[in-house]
Amino acid sequence: MPEMGFVQQLGIGALMTIKVAVLSYLLALAIGTAFALVTLRRRLVVGFIWQVYASIFTGVPSLLVAFLFFYAGSGIVASLASLVGLTVTVDISPFAAAVAALGMVYGAYLADLIRSAIQNVPPGQFEAAKVLLVPQPATWLLVILPQVLRLALPGMTNMWIVVMKDTALISLIGLKEIMAYAKLASGVTKEPFIYYVLASVFFLGMTWLTYFVSRRIESWSERGYKPVVKQEPAHAL
Amino acid sequence: MNAVTQIAVPSPVRRETPAAVAISIRKLNKFYGGFQALRDIDLEVGQGEIVILCGPSGSGKSSLIRCINHLEQHNSGTIRVNGTELTHKASDVAQVRRQLGMVFQGFNLFPHMTVLANCTFALRLALRLPAAEANDIAREYLARVNVQDQAAKYPSELSGGQQQRVAIARALCLKPSIMLFDEPTSALDPESVGSVLRIMEDLAATGITMVCVTHEMGFARRVADRCVFMEKGEIVEEGTSDRFFSAPSTARLKAFLQQVL
């Protein structure tokens, strides 16, 4: 039987996992959307910055990025600050390093996803909005975004699951999330199976919850489209 | 060149001088990279006039109509719409577009909005009308194009002809003085074509100015005040629809008419 004290700790860890995953994903969405929008039109400087960013953060494993941020983060911030003439000393917490690493890595993936979704909105939609004199912000928000959402949702759902599962790796930089507590509990009780199974059940539960919610959102985003063949979302990785 | 001299230049083929000029195009050139899509186009459309543009594909008809509402930027020459010169300045573009309604070949309805929402969208966001007033206007125009019963449906639930009529209603909601049609029936099945053309004929009878790119020669003959034949980015021949169809003067138009009629 699992001991209640350890189970309680797993619960605290699970909350931390959710917190890191949600914040990382929001950061990734922000970075992804920003890069998607600025790289829509091919401009030399922006394109170059994006190439460098994408090759670093899709090329280096997310765990390594987290290590770099955690161990070298304060150095990076200090040297960046000294460029503009400031002296800054910051301690990078495992939490901040984890969110920054996952957010920046998956932001690179989301940028490609969101950009291709925008490019797949028929150009006639932009033209119709233009000739109807609809202001640009309203066009993006009310005409383009709903259609982008519909196109990008399946990929975004998968990405969310990947981000959530990747938080398990981040325990290695000392973040007290569910994986760290499962490891601790199995070390103390010498019953690794129970606690790792509990942790697995948590991730499974989160994944199923995601599928349930995403199907709801997807069918909402598909309002107005003829029901095509209903496809189950493909499992992530 | 100033406005007065431009408008005063008489068009040699016009059968009568219209009361006022709605669209005036002078020496218009349009390039896509190295390809010249429009070559020194001169065209005048009087208020209330129905002008049909026809010609083989790639002849520049669509480019011309898209230049008029600045969906394509012209490279040189002038376009005036109800006296406003269309420059590349946002305020000029907005003022010109305010006069124009546009109907596309592919309808371009917003797929995630109901038919009614499609029509009220611009009224509410561009003209900032309250919802109730926008709904009234939209319903009025939807009734005029005979799709009032479909107001709560999504575009994908409608036939092609109904969708195009919704698109016409959506454009009319903004009460434009000039309607531009870019091959409005080319994407439709033969049965739907008739319903859209009937609506356009009704519209033509209201005195609105219309410029229409179409391959429907029967429609052109019935409705047009004037037909313009384009080929390779140039206006080859223009004339009243009677003369255009019964006594074409250029060999190229003769050959074209032989093929399409």
Side-chain angles (χ1 to χ4, degrees):
Chain A
M1 271 304 287
E3 285 176 40
M4 282 329 284
F6 286 121
V7 173
Q8 214 171 1
Q9 279 192 329
L10 278 190
I12 294 168
L15 282 181
M16 176 56 95
T17 296
I18 292 172
K19 210 163 110 182
V20 173
V22 167
L23 284 178
S24 304
Y25 194 70
L26 289 179
L27 178 64
L29 266 184
I31 291 172
T33 308
F35 267 121
L37 288 175
V38 296
T39 53
L40 261 184
R41 277 187 225 155
R42 303 212 156 275
R43 284 196 216 93
L44 224 56
V45 181
V46 176
F48 178 74
I49 294 172
W50 161 244
Q51 285 300 330
V52 171
Y53 181 92
S55 49
I56 291 175
F57 287 101
T58 60
V60 179
S62 49
L63 178 59
L64 250 172
V65 175
F67 273 136
L68 285 172
F69 281 179
F70 182 55
Y71 292 111
S74 44
I76 294 171
V77 172
S79 58
L80 280 180
S82 73
L83 282 181
V84 289
L86 293 170
T87 320
V88 183
T89 46
V90 280
D91 269 339
I92 303 289
S93 66
F95 180 80
V99 170
L102 291 179
M104 291 177 82
V105 167
Y106 289 102
Y109 289 107
L110 279 176
D112 274 333
L113 196 93
I114 293 169
R115 187 193 320 104
S116 65
I118 295 174
Q119 284 165 341
N120 276 310
V121 174
Q125 295 290 307
F126 289 92
E127 290 178 355
K130 272 188 201 169
V131 298
L132 290 169
L133 297 161
V134 177
Q136 275 229 333
T139 301
W140 278 100
L141 207 66
L142 301 171
V143 177
I144 306 305
L145 182 66
Q147 301 185 56
V148 167
L149 211 58
R150 176 184 154 260
L151 294 168
L153 260 175
M156 282 167 60
T157 305
N158 278 347
M159 205 63 80
W160 154 251
I161 288 167
V162 174
V163 169
M164 195 176 54
K165 291 196 299 187
D166 251 20
T167 57
L169 288 174
I170 304 296
S171 65
L172 290 173
I173 57 170
L175 186 74
K176 294 278 173 233
E177 44 72 81
I178 191 165
M179 196 58 203
Y181 282 117
K183 205 170 163 189
L184 184 80
S186 21
V188 176
T189 60
K190 307 288 178 215
E191 284 183 295
F193 186 70
I194 290 175
Y195 296 100
Y196 286 135
V197 164
L198 279 178
S200 305
V201 167
F202 162 74
F203 279 108
L204 263 181
M206 289 297 289
T207 310
W208 280 111
L209 182 69
T210 303
Y211 283 140
F212 178 74
V213 173
S214 77
R215 211 166 305 162
R216 285 277 172 112
I217 303 177
E218 269 172 47
S219 61
W220 169 78
S221 78
E222 258 159 40
R223 69 200 180 284
Y225 290 86
K226 279 202 178 116
V228 221
V229 185
K230 275 281 175 221
Q231 261 189 332
E232 295 290 306
H235 280 268
L237 304 189
Chain B
M1 277 209 282
N2 64 50
V4 181
T5 56
Q6 272 176 38
I7 290 167
V9 175
S11 179
V13 288
R14 168 100 24 74
R15 58 178 165 169
E16 60 192 354
T17 315
V21 177
I23 303 173
S24 155
I25 297 168
R26 290 271 171 261
K27 296 253 166 286
L28 190 74
N29 285 288
K30 167 71 190 165
F31 294 85
Y32 297 107
F35 174 73
Q36 185 160 14
L38 295 174
R39 203 182 295 272
D40 288 334
I41 298 288
D42 285 319
L43 182 69
E44 228 169 70
V45 179
Q47 267 173 23
E49 204 178 9
I50 313 296
V51 172
I52 302 284
L53 300 179
C54 56
S57 65
S59 59
K61 325 176 284 292
S62 286
S63 294
L64 176 57
I65 214 166
R66 289 166 61 84
C67 277
I68 296 173
N69 61 13
H70 208 258
L71 287 177
E72 304 288 351
Q73 299 190 10
H74 55 284
N75 298 96
S76 68
T78 57
I79 300 172
R80 280 173 183 283
V81 176
N82 288 340
T84 309
E85 183 172 344
L86 178 64
T87 65
H88 302 319
K89 236 169 60 189
S91 57
D92 287 338
V93 173
Q95 205 185 334
V96 164
R97 283 186 181 152
R98 187 70 194 82
Q99 322 282 327
L100 304 169
M102 174 84 175
V103 174
F104 300 90
Q105 180 178 354
F107 325 140
N108 293 349
L109 294 173
F110 305 127
H112 57 294
M113 297 183 199
T114 62
V115 163
L116 186 69
N118 261 282
C119 293
T120 55
F121 188 62
L123 292 171
R124 296 175 57 187
L125 284 141
L127 303 189
R128 307 223 153 267
L129 294 184
E133 197 177 330
N135 283 345
D136 288 346
I137 296 173
R139 284 186 194 284
E140 180 195 329
Y141 283 103
L142 285 173
R144 258 179 69 176
V145 300
N146 291 326
V147 286
Q148 65 272 40
D149 299 336
Q150 321 289 337
K153 290 188 182 169
Y154 286 100
S156 65
E157 299 173 275
L158 271 54
S159 73
Q162 289 173 323
Q163 289 189 49
Q164 190 61 296
R165 283 183 276 148
V166 171
I168 293 172
R170 181 175 72 171
L172 288 174
C173 279
L174 292 172
K175 300 190 169 73
S177 62
I178 304 164
M179 283 291 285
L180 306 176
F181 293 85
D182 188 3
E183 302 200 23
T185 57
S186 298
L188 298 177
D189 55 284
E191 281 173 73
S192 298
V193 170
S195 71
V196 172
L197 292 182
R198 262 196 304 283
I199 294 297
M200 289 171 65
E201 285 193 52
D202 291 349
L203 191 61
T206 63
I208 199 169
T209 309
M210 274 170 59
V211 179
C212 180
V213 175
T214 186
H215 297 292
E216 297 291 332
M217 289 302 138
F219 169 77
R221 204 170 205 163
R222 284 197 306 277
V223 177
D225 294 317
R226 194 148 52 98
C227 293
V228 176
F229 175 64
M230 291 181 69
E231 196 176 49
K232 293 183 181 139
E234 289 174 307
I235 292 180
V236 177
E237 183 169 349
E238 57 178 307
T240 62
S241 60
D242 293 345
R243 223 188 56 200
F244 188 86
F245 287 102
S246 51
S249 58
T250 58
R252 280 147 90 185
L253 177 56
K254 273 178 200 158
F256 177 75
L257 287 176
Q258 236 157 34
Q259 282 192 339
V260 296
L261 287 180

